[in-house]
Each structure stands twice: as C-alpha cells, then as structure tokens.
Amino acid sequence: MIHLFQKGSDAKAPVLLLLHGTGGNERDMLPLAPMIHPGSSVLSVRGNVLENGMPRFFRRLAEGVFDEQDLIFRTEELQAFLDQAAAEYEFDRENIVAVGYSNGANIAGSLLFHYENALRGAILYHPMVPRRGIALPELSGIPIFIGAGKNDPICPLPETEELSRLLEEAGASVNLHWEMYGHQLTEGEVRASAAWFAKNFIA
C-alpha cells in the first residue's frame, strides 16, 4: 500500500495510523499528527480503491451503502500491511492507534470489528457502522474516541450512537464527542481527541 512513515521522538508512544477520507491521500492527515501527539511515529496510508479517480479504502455501492465483500477484503489487506510495516519500520505492532476520518474512520472501525488486538486504540472522526449482524471480537480495554456532528447528513446521529453502543457492548471504552456541525472535521474535534489521547496513552 502507498504510504509514508515518519519516525517519532517518543519510542513508547503509540504509532499513529493515519487514514484519509474519500479523495484524500497519504499526506492529507499529516497535519493532525503533531496536534494529537508530536512525539509519535506516523504511518499514513493511501487507500487502494479508486472511485471516479478518488482514493478510498473500500468500494461502496451508493452513498452510505458499503460493498461488504470488498470491505472484508480491504480490511484483511490493511491488517496484513500493518504486520509488514511493523516489521519493516521496527515498531511495536501492538502499539498502533488509528486516526481516521470518514472513509478512513470506517476502515479503522472495520479493523476493530474483524480482528482482536488489531489496534491499541482509535480516533474515529465521523465514522459509520462498518457491518451489522456480526459478532465483534473482544475489545475490553480498547479506548476509542468518536468525533461526530449532530448535523452530519452522511453519519446521522442514530448511526453514531449505534456504532458507539456496538463497540461498548464488545467491551471498548468509548468517548463520544459531539459538535454542532456537519460532516466536516473541526478543530474542536481534533483538540478534544488530543486531550483524550494524552489521558489514555501518554499521562
């Protein structure tokens, strides 16, 4: 997978796995990393699927309708890539916190839905429920931050609350942060996620 890796100054801090939204690339999320934790190493990945020339992490059939088989395949692909990247760049595979926006948040959520210990934690900005009707792996002790907009037309409030409930039922510790905006990523969300990250992983 096309990606960038930047080694950080804090070897004990989680590696930040940056996952862009539709139409983004491996550089889009880089400005968020120093805001969340400047000492962390960064692994920023570009999605392998193109939709009208725009990179994504998995195909969709329509707005809000995921291609479930492709989602499963691409989730497995990302999981395998993380194993390879940890070996190549010599970081702890069990010390990765995903930071995803929109489509990137959805693929991060899918990692949590499909693989036990895929991530040490996750910051999900405007995620949807990746799959329904499946048993989630054991997520006890996994802290998850969800940033959401109460006026988000793509991820409506009930969708966000459903995702939060599913993760909590699997044992995750979910911090749900609301903004009064739509689907855009706000500075308030990023600041709140940075404070949450410091409390859970640095303090």
Side-chain angles (χ1 to χ4, degrees):
M1 301 185 75
I2 296 173
H3 66 280
L4 292 171
F5 180 77
Q6 298 176 349
K7 188 173 180 61
S9 59
D10 185 350
K12 293 182 179 179
V15 174
L16 298 179
L17 170 63
L18 304 183
L19 303 165
H20 62 78
T22 298
N25 59 42
E26 67 278 11
R27 297 188 178 277
D28 277 30
M29 302 280 285
L30 289 177
L32 297 185
M35 300 172 67
I36 294 168
H37 183 55
S40 280
S41 294
V42 173
L43 178 63
S44 190
V45 183
R46 183 191 300 185
N48 267 350
V49 170
L50 287 178
E51 179 182 273
N52 299 320
M54 298 184 296
R56 282 176 55 86
F57 287 97
F58 58 89
R59 287 194 289 268
R60 59 184 170 182
L61 305 176
E63 183 76 62
V65 182
F66 300 161
D67 182 331
E68 192 166 293
Q69 291 306 309
D70 191 61
L71 172 63
I72 294 167
F73 173 76
R74 299 297 175 180
T75 304
E76 182 180 0
E77 177 183 62
L78 180 57
Q79 171 79 349
F81 170 75
L82 294 178
D83 293 343
Q84 296 163 7
E88 179 179 352
Y89 298 114
E90 299 181 336
F91 62 79
D92 183 355
R93 175 63 183 84
E94 297 183 355
N95 196 23
I96 298 174
V97 172
V99 182
Y101 165 64
S102 192
N103 182 243
N106 294 336
I107 195 74
S110 187
L111 280 173
L112 293 165
F113 268 50
H114 289 98
Y115 295 101
E116 189 171 354
N117 300 320
L119 300 169
R120 187 178 167 197
I123 295 173
L124 309 176
Y125 301 121
H126 302 265
M128 297 176 68
V129 177
R131 290 187 69 195
R132 292 178 170 88
I134 65 169
L136 272 62
E138 175 60 49
L139 297 177
S140 293
I142 304 292
I144 299 170
F145 177 97
I146 296 177
K150 290 192 173 179
N151 298 301
D152 190 335
I154 297 174
C155 302
L157 191 148
E159 175 101 8
T160 303
E161 291 180 333
E162 181 185 357
L163 176 61
S164 178
R165 176 180 56 78
L166 290 170
L167 291 168
E168 287 181 337
E169 287 175 353
S173 173
V174 180
N175 183 307
L176 183 49
H177 174 85
W178 291 101
E179 297 274 335
M180 295 304 296
Y181 297 98
H183 196 63
Q184 69 268 40
L185 178 57
T186 68
E187 185 179 343
E189 283 175 81
V190 178
R191 283 201 309 266
S193 65
W196 169 90
F197 184 89
K199 178 181 178 181
N200 283 277
F201 300 107
I202 305 302

